[in-house]
Amino acid sequence: METKVEKIPANKHIALVAHDGKKDALKAWCLAHKNTLERHTLSATGTTGNVIEQATGLSVNKLLSGPMGGDQQLGAKIAEHQIHMLVFFWDPLASQPHDPDVKALLRLAAVWNIPVACNEATADMLLHSSLMSTEFSRALPDYDKYLATRLNT
């Protein structure tokens, strides 16, 4: 598939997600980085968003809870180029009833080439990157060209 280049703006829209066993870790991470996060737009699955908002006072656009469709809502926002970065503290030691939704969310982040952090160390590296406060380019699949070839066959 051909690709095209699109800019990720300096003001990022960051999606925040955490499984139940990792909500405290994400809350602590958000508290530690509150000054940086408040300069960006935040969205989260419902329960995670409530935990972060109550603990930090940050403004969070809260979607449905993950198992109720919040992961899929975030995936749709990624596909619509509304989310620029995903911080998803998933619990590798716990079984999740909505595991297919989790995998779909991570797949969409890979398809649309957005930065993803699945643990504190990676989230720290992303947040401290010089690219967090600047616009930068990313390669994306050119689905407009792909669809045009599909319609002409």
Side-chain angles (χ1 to χ4, degrees), residues 31-87:
L31 278 166
H33 299 289
K34 180 180 175 180
N35 291 337
T36 301
L37 292 172
E38 66 189 2
R39 294 190 298 260
H40 299 280
T41 302
L42 305 176
S43 288
T45 50
T47 309
T48 299
N50 282 327
V51 167
I52 292 167
E53 212 170 51
Q54 289 175 5
T56 66
L58 291 165
S59 176
V60 180
N61 175 35
K62 294 175 292 302
L63 305 173
L64 294 173
S65 175
M68 303 307 291
D71 296 325
Q72 291 183 348
Q73 285 179 302
L74 284 175
K77 288 182 177 294
I78 291 169
E80 293 168 348
H81 309 253
Q82 295 175 17
I83 300 289
H84 307 118
M85 181 174 138
L86 173 62
V87 175

Side-chain angles (χ1 to χ4, degrees), residues 79-139:
E80 293 168 348
H81 309 253
Q82 295 175 17
I83 300 289
H84 307 118
M85 181 174 138
L86 173 62
V87 175
F88 186 175
F89 287 10
W90 59 277
D91 189 345
L93 302 177
S95 176
Q96 302 297 326
H98 62 298
D99 194 52
D101 300 332
V102 170
K103 286 184 175 138
L105 177 61
L106 294 171
R107 185 184 69 78
L108 285 168
V111 166
W112 294 107
N113 197 19
I114 66 167
V116 177
C118 293
N119 57 45
E120 295 92 333
T122 308
D124 284 346
M125 289 183 79
L126 287 178
L127 218 57
H128 293 291
S129 166
S130 62
L131 298 175
M132 272 307 295
S133 59
T134 62
E135 179 178 89
F136 71 97
S137 299
R138 64 179 165 157

